[in-house]
Each structure stands twice: as C-alpha cells, then as structure tokens.
C-alpha cells in the first residue's frame, strides 16, 4: 500500500512487530522542535575543544589517506555517513543521523502538507491504481476517480515489475503550479485517455477520525503530533461539543509522537488551571523547561478515556502521562512504548540532519517514561517490544513488571510508575484471535483493499444513494462475496487455508465493509478524516468496545474517588 496523501495510512493491525515497526517511534518521536537554541550557542564552550580538535585531525588524516592511497575507488561520502552512524550507536537509541534524503522524508511526516496531485494510490499486479482522489484536490478536479489505472506520467511508464512506491512518488510529486500529463485507463473503457493535472499544495492530516459514538460520547483518533495536530484536534473537539458531547474517548494507539508543543497544547484543552503538563531536564540547563496549562480549554470537565498501546510513544506519552498524573482521564489499553528522551534536530551544511538527545522529559508527578537501555546495545532496545510479547505482557496484566523503586503518586494519591512507558489504569489484552498467516498474505498482496475498491466501483450508483447510517445497517459481505475474494487471492498465488480463513473471516468481512464505506463516502469529506472506516471497524475493535463501558470509572476518577484495581 502507498499513498500520495495521508488518506491511505495503513489501518491493518500488524501481524507481528518487525524491525521497522519497532523503529517507528524512534524516527518520528521528534520533540522540542521549536524554540531551541541552534547554531553557535549549541556548539559553544571551550571545555573539550582540544579533545575535539585532536579527533577531527585524526579523522581527516584517515579519510585523506583512503582517498589518495587506497587500492580501489571508494565513495568517501558513504564512508563518512557510515562512520557517523556507527559512532552514534555508542550513544542512546534515539540520537540519530539522517542523510539528506532521509531527513527530508522524516520531516515530511510532520509537516502540514506537500506539493502533488492529491491521490492515494495502490500498486497491484504491477499496476498503479487510484484508490481515492483527495476531495477538492487537483486530481478530482481533473476527473480522476477511484479505480482508474495510471499507466504513464508524462513519458514515464508506471507498469511492470520495476514500479515501486518510490518511483511513483517521484513521478507524481512536484512543485505547486506545474503540470503533469497522466495516461489513465478507467474501468469499463477500452482505450486510455490523457489527463492534465496541475499540482497543488496537498494538506496532510493527523486526526484520523472524529465522530459521535452515541448521543453523549465523542471519539477522536490522533495518528501523530504534526504541525497541524492541535488545530485539527481543537476543531474536532469544538464540533463534537456542538453535537452534545459530554464524555470523550481519545485514541492514541499506534501514535509514535511528534512535536511536544502540539502535545502539550492538546493536553491543555483537557486540563484546567495552570497545572504542570511536562518538564525536561538535561546536562545543559538551557534545555530545561517546564510547560504549564495556560488556556481555558474546551473540555476541561467531563469523563475522558484515553486509549494507548505499545505503539504509543513520545508526545503521546506526554499527553497520557499528564492526564493520568492529574487524574483527568482513565488510561486504557496496554503499556506504552517508553520513549522519554528529547531530540534536538540540527540541520547540517549538506542538508543531512543530526537528531541529538539533549534532555529527558518527565510527567507532572516526576516520572521519567524512558524505558531502560544500555549504551551501544541498540539491537536489544529495538527488540524490547518483542520481549514484551514473549513474556506475555500483551495478554496478561500481571506480566507488566514495574520497578517498585520508581513509584510516584497522582494528584489524588494513586500510585503510578516510571521507568518504562505509561502503564494503563485498565488493562485490555491484545486480540489475536483473528490473526492468521492467511490474513497476512491477503494484506501482503493487497487483496482485501483491491476487492473492496472493485466492489465500490462496480456498485457506485447504488451505494451513493445510501446514507452512511443505512449502509452500515444493511450492507454486509457474506459467503458469496467472501468466495470471490478467496478466488482473487488464489489467482494471486495465495493457497487457501480453510481453518485460518474461518478464524479471520469476521475480521476480513469487517475490513472489506470498512474500505467500501471509505471509498464510497470519503470523497465528500474535506477534512481528511476516515470516520466511516473507523465506525465500521469499531465493531471488530475489542479495546474500543470495552473502553465504551468504562466511562463510569472515568467519571469516578474525575470526582477524586478511589478506583478499583486497574488490572483486568
């Protein structure tokens, strides 16, 4: 799966935590990006000038010797990048170096938009399909629709085995105002057509969904803390209040973090007075900071339930920690990632970037959320989530082993722990009953998404006449549709496994319905939210469904009353 906008963020829960999943909070957990002293003051001080000078001289001599005398031709830029990366491995796991391309890609994850044509695409059978054009964007304006095949961009072919996400991004993105000619083949048409699209600024969004679950309960899902997160959240919160919201479910699951100031601003909307939200402490006092609540937030009173899991990191943990320490919200789910180190991004002269750890952040009660690590043992740190799984922490609350020496208290005297993520007030195990190897293969070849896209295209006229509420009540995908999906999967080389299919069937049906809802109703949504998708999938989301029953506990917490055991 790939996307030219953030509409297509992966909704499918991973079957397992691979290295990329584990490293995601490291790459995106950028905090304190603004208001820092960068430049001469950062490098100032004469304490270690002599030591640094000797090291620089030695390093320069070695590079010069390699360049002039080594038997084979070498790329010294690659050597420099490699040596920097290996050097930083002696530091903490979150200090990182990125070459210019990596730095641009990482920054774009937190920016408010990019220049492009405004489509989400999917590569299937070596062909680029339009999953959905951005509502009101340049592609929709040019008449491009879901299900269209993009055969060529200008004179560059986009078919065949060499097509990948990177080549499509490179072809579609470009400076605002520039034109690009797309050769499109629409469903039901025999001949392709050429469509000219004028690139524009394409907004990206960090609030995935915001809607009323029932007459009093609002739901907001935040996928990261980017440039626009606070404004998006504030708008969503205001709209839900106008619809009668008196209690809020805030979903921070799989949110890897982002800008700290956006996280504290979000927390400020929910926490009253001038209470401490977070503070930082480092070797250099210039990087010590205390952040307090300062505004009259829109929802400072009323029950709040916050959902977290092992994918919630950095800025997400700032929010969850502040709300927990002030007894403002009931934290529900599984223990968060445990990233409490603050990185300062320093852009280097060639466009590369150093993200240097300068301090630790602490929750209002004094907790450091950073999980333990050993310098130079990055591999162990990267596999820590895997270790949690092996000891049963995702399934049994008592498997969470908090350090009794790192005991702190909330405003109302509840015991909380530091030293390794936010431990939820109410534990909900991971649901793996539907996870099978067969389902993983369907994800791997985009079978579910492609089937849903084709179904939505084939039934567009009928579906568009249905209000979403009626669609959600009446449209279901039974044995006939599942048989066709299995047939499609078999044609793509996926061997049918009846037992595994039976285990995953209900989840597959929910996924198909959710994607069909998204393809049908999203084109009218200009806020970038996937409300219909999440509404459908909520029925298959055990954590979501259980959290709905816990608002009495959240209300009890807000009143300062004693809670019963947090463990299930």
């Amino acid at each position: 799966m790939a996307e030219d906008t953030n509409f297509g963020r992966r909704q499918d829960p991973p079957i397992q935590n691979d290295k990329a999943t584990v490293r995601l909070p490291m790459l995106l957990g950028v905090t304190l990006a603004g208001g820092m002293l960068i430049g001469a003051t950062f490098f100032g001080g004469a304490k270690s000038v002599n030591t640094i000078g000797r090291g620089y001289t030695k390093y320069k001599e070695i590079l010069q010797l390699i360049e002039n005398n080594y038997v084979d031709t070498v790329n010294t830029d690659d050597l420099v990048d490699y040596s920097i990366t290996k050097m930083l491995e002696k530091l903490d796991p979150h200090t990182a170096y990125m070459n210019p391309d990596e730095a641009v890609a990482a920054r774009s994850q937190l920016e408010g938009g990019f220049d492009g044509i405004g489509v989400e695409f999917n590569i299937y059978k070596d062909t680029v399909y339009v999953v959905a054009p951005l509502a009101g964007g340049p592609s929709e304006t040019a008449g491009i629709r879901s299900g269209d095949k993009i055969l060529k961009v200008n004179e560059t072919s986009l078919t065949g085995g060499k097509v990948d996400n990177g080549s499509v991004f490179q072809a579609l993105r470009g400076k605002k105002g520039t034109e690009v000619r797309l050769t499109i083949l629409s469903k039901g048409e025999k001949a392709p057509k050429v469509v000219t699209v004028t690139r524009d600024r394409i907004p990206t969004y960090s609030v995935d969904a915001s809607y009323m679950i029932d007459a009093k309960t609002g739901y907001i899902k935040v996928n990261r803390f980017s440039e626009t997160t606070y404004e998006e959240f504030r708008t969503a919160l205001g709209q839900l209040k106008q619809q009668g919201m008196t209690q809020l479910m805030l979903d921070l699951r799989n949110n890897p973090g982002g800008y700290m100031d956006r996280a504290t601003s979000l927390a400020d909307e929910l926490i009253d007075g001038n209470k401490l939200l977070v503070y930082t402490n480092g070797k250099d006092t210039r990087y010590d900071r205390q952040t307090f609540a300062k505004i009259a937030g829109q929802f400072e009173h009323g029950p709040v339930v916050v959902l977290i899991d092992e994918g919630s990191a950095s800025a997400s943990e700032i929010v969850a920690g502040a709300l927990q320490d002030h007894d403002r919200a009931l934290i529900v789910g599984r223990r968060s990632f445990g990233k409490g180190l603050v990185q300062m991004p320093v852009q280097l002269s060639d466009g590369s970037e150093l993200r240097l750890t300068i301090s630790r952040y602490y929750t209002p009660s004094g907790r450091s959320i950073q999980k333990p690590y050993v310098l130079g043992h990055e591999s162990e740190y990267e596999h820590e989530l895997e270790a949690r799984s092996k000891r049963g922490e995702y399934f049994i609350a008592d498997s969470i082993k908090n350090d009794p020496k790192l005991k702190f208290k909330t405003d109302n005297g509840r015991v909380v722990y530091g030293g390794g993520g936010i431990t939820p007030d109410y534990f909900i195990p991971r649901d793996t009953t539907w996870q099978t190897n067969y389902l993983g293969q369907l994800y791997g070849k985009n079978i579910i998404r492609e089937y849903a896209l084709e179904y939505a295209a084939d039934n567009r006229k009928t579906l568009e006449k249905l209000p979403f509420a009626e669609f959600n009540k009446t449209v279901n995908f039974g044995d006939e549709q599942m048989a066709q999906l299995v047939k499609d999967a078999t044609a793509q080389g996926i061997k049918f496994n009846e037992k595994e299919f039976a285990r995953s069937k209900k989840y597959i049906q929910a996924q198909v319905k959710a994607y069909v809802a998204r393809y049908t109703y999203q084109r009218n949504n200009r806020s970038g939210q996937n409300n219909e998708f999440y509404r459908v999938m909520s029925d298959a989301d055990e954590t979501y469904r259980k959290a709905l029953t816990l608002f009495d506990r959240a209300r009890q917490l807000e009143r300062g009353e004693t809670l019963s055991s947090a463990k299930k």
Side-chain angles (χ1 to χ4, degrees):
M1 182 206 77
E3 63 271 356
D4 195 30
T5 76
N6 76 327
F7 276 43
R9 286 183 297 271
R10 182 180 177 91
Q11 315 291 352
D12 315 323
I15 301 301
Q16 59 185 7
N17 289 302
D18 57 17
K19 184 174 181 179
T21 303
V22 174
R23 288 182 64 87
L24 186 59
M26 304 178 195
L27 294 177
L28 299 186
V30 186
T31 54
L32 293 182
M36 279 299 181
L37 298 175
I38 300 175
T41 56
F42 170 66
F43 294 102
K47 296 179 183 178
S48 56
V49 169
N50 291 336
T51 302
I52 293 174
R54 288 196 300 270
Y56 171 75
T57 299
K58 182 192 300 184
Y59 187 65
K60 182 180 178 181
E61 287 175 347
I62 291 173
L63 278 179
Q64 195 67 56
L65 286 167
I66 293 172
E67 177 70 18
N68 293 337
N69 301 298
Y70 185 67
V71 63
D72 296 319
T73 300
V74 296
N75 187 320
T76 52
D77 286 341
D78 288 346
L79 290 179
V80 170
D81 284 357
Y82 178 77
S83 61
I84 293 173
T85 300
K86 299 303 288 185
M87 174 178 66
L88 297 183
E89 287 179 3
K90 295 294 184 181
L91 305 180
D92 68 275
H94 295 289
T95 291
Y97 167 80
M98 299 180 182
N99 65 38
D101 290 339
E102 293 169 338
V104 170
R107 284 194 296 270
S108 69
Q109 296 289 330
L110 297 177
E111 291 175 351
F114 58 88
D115 293 345
I117 69 168
V119 294
E120 179 193 345
F121 66 86
N122 188 36
I123 300 174
Y124 181 67
K125 297 182 182 177
D126 298 330
T127 302
V128 179
Y129 287 81
V130 174
V131 173
L134 171 68
S139 289
E140 184 184 64
T141 301
I144 294 174
R145 306 183 70 177
S146 298
D148 285 351
K149 299 177 183 179
I150 304 179
L151 306 181
K152 292 173 65 175
V153 178
N154 294 326
E155 300 305 318
T156 302
S157 174
L158 287 187
T159 58
K162 293 184 178 180
V163 176
D164 57 19
N165 291 346
S167 62
V168 179
F169 278 132
Q170 186 175 6
L172 296 181
R173 293 188 179 184
K175 189 175 180 181
K176 176 182 177 180
T178 58
E179 291 186 346
V180 58
R181 288 177 292 106
L182 306 181
T183 302
I184 299 291
L185 180 61
S186 298
K187 186 176 179 62
E189 297 183 8
K190 295 181 179 180
K193 60 186 176 182
V194 176
V195 178
T196 300
V197 181
T198 302
R199 295 183 178 101
D200 201 350
R201 187 65 177 171
I202 307 301
T204 57
Y205 302 95
S206 53
V207 172
D208 273 344
S210 65
Y211 58 85
M212 293 295 292
I213 300 173
D214 53 39
K216 61 182 179 180
T217 310
Y219 172 84
I220 301 178
K221 180 170 180 61
V222 181
N223 67 67
R224 67 189 183 282
F225 289 92
S226 67
E227 289 180 353
T228 60
T229 299
Y230 173 56
E231 289 304 321
E232 290 180 56
F233 177 79
R234 195 169 183 276
T235 298
L237 198 63
Q239 291 173 344
L240 294 180
K241 283 196 66 179
Q242 289 177 1
Q243 297 174 55
M245 180 183 70
T246 58
Q247 57 189 33
L248 171 67
M249 184 187 298
L250 175 60
D251 194 343
L252 299 179
R253 288 175 294 175
N254 287 310
N255 181 323
Y259 293 126
M260 190 186 82
D261 59 348
R262 274 61 165 190
T264 54
S265 293
L266 185 153
D268 200 354
E269 288 288 337
L270 306 175
I271 295 175
D272 63 5
N274 63 342
K275 296 173 182 175
L276 181 64
L277 301 177
V278 68
Y279 68 92
T280 61
N281 188 15
K283 179 173 67 177
D284 192 323
T285 57
R286 288 175 298 170
Y287 307 129
D288 295 349
R289 173 181 294 188
Q290 292 181 319
T291 303
F292 294 87
K294 59 185 177 182
I295 66 170
Q298 295 183 78
F299 198 71
E300 293 183 343
H301 303 284
V304 178
V305 170
V306 177
L307 308 185
I308 63 170
D309 64 9
E310 57 280 354
S312 308
S314 189
S316 298
E317 295 171 299
I318 291 176
V319 173
L323 293 171
Q324 188 178 53
D325 281 359
H326 291 307
D327 299 293
R328 178 65 188 95
L330 185 77
I331 310 301
V332 173
R334 297 185 295 278
R335 184 164 64 101
S336 62
F337 182 86
K339 181 191 180 296
L341 297 176
V342 182
Q343 281 71 54
M344 178 173 65
V346 184
Q347 190 164 349
L348 306 179
S349 58
D350 66 344
S352 58
E353 187 171 282
L354 173 67
R355 294 189 175 180
L356 184 67
T357 297
I358 55 171
S359 59
R360 290 178 170 83
Y361 70 69
Y362 297 82
T363 70
S365 66
R367 289 184 285 169
S368 170
I369 300 170
Q370 178 60 45
K371 60 187 176 183
Y373 61 89
V374 178
L375 293 177
H377 290 253
E378 185 177 349
S379 178
E380 292 179 12
Y381 188 82
E382 289 177 351
H383 289 89
E384 192 271 337
L385 293 185
E386 186 179 321
R388 292 189 198 184
S389 179
K390 289 180 179 178
R391 64 175 175 262
E393 184 176 318
Y394 296 150
F395 309 101
I396 304 172
D398 289 334
S399 296
I400 303 175
K401 303 300 181 184
N402 290 307
D403 188 342
K405 296 178 182 178
L406 300 176
K407 187 181 293 186
F408 299 83
K409 289 190 175 181
T410 69
D411 290 354
N412 293 337
R414 294 188 302 131
V415 174
V416 289
Y417 294 91
I422 300 293
T423 299
D425 300 309
Y426 190 94
F427 175 83
I428 298 179
R430 178 189 283 179
D431 180 13
T432 59
T433 57
W434 47 268
Q435 293 183 359
T436 63
N437 182 57
Y438 184 75
L439 177 63
Q441 292 182 73
L442 296 182
Y443 285 150
K445 294 198 173 182
N446 291 313
I447 300 298
I448 295 174
R449 287 167 57 93
E450 282 304 317
Y451 176 81
L453 177 59
E454 189 165 331
Y455 182 93
D458 289 343
N459 297 275
R460 184 190 306 275
K461 292 181 180 179
T462 301
L463 293 171
E464 287 179 342
K465 294 177 182 178
L466 294 177
F468 172 72
E470 186 176 350
F471 167 90
N472 202 23
K473 184 183 296 184
T474 62
V475 175
N476 292 291
F477 293 85
D479 291 341
E480 181 181 347
Q481 290 79 22
M482 290 298 97
Q484 182 59 52
L485 185 145
V486 168
K487 183 178 179 181
D488 293 346
T490 303
Q492 289 299 305
I494 299 175
K495 185 178 180 180
F496 180 63
N497 185 311
E498 184 175 2
K499 185 177 180 180
E500 291 187 357
F501 175 76
R503 275 183 57 190
S504 301
K505 183 178 178 180
K506 288 185 178 180
Y507 190 82
I508 294 170
Q509 290 170 316
Q511 283 266 292
V512 170
K513 183 174 178 177
Y515 279 121
V516 170
R518 189 178 141 220
Y519 300 148
T520 302
Y521 299 100
Q522 179 122 18
R523 64 175 55 87
N524 299 319
N525 185 349
R526 298 180 185 274
S527 67
Q529 294 176 12
N530 295 319
N531 291 342
E532 291 78 18
F533 181 96
Y534 282 96
R535 282 178 183 271
V536 173
M537 286 306 300
S538 65
D539 288 339
D541 187 342
E542 180 62 28
T543 299
Y544 176 103
R545 291 162 59 194
K546 183 62 182 178
L548 270 178
T549 71
L550 299 176
F551 276 101
D552 284 345
R553 286 177 179 246
R555 189 173 293 105
Q556 184 183 359
L557 183 66
E558 188 183 23
R559 292 171 180 165
E561 300 172 7
T562 303
L563 285 176
S564 55
S565 173
K567 294 180 179 179
K568 188 176 178 181

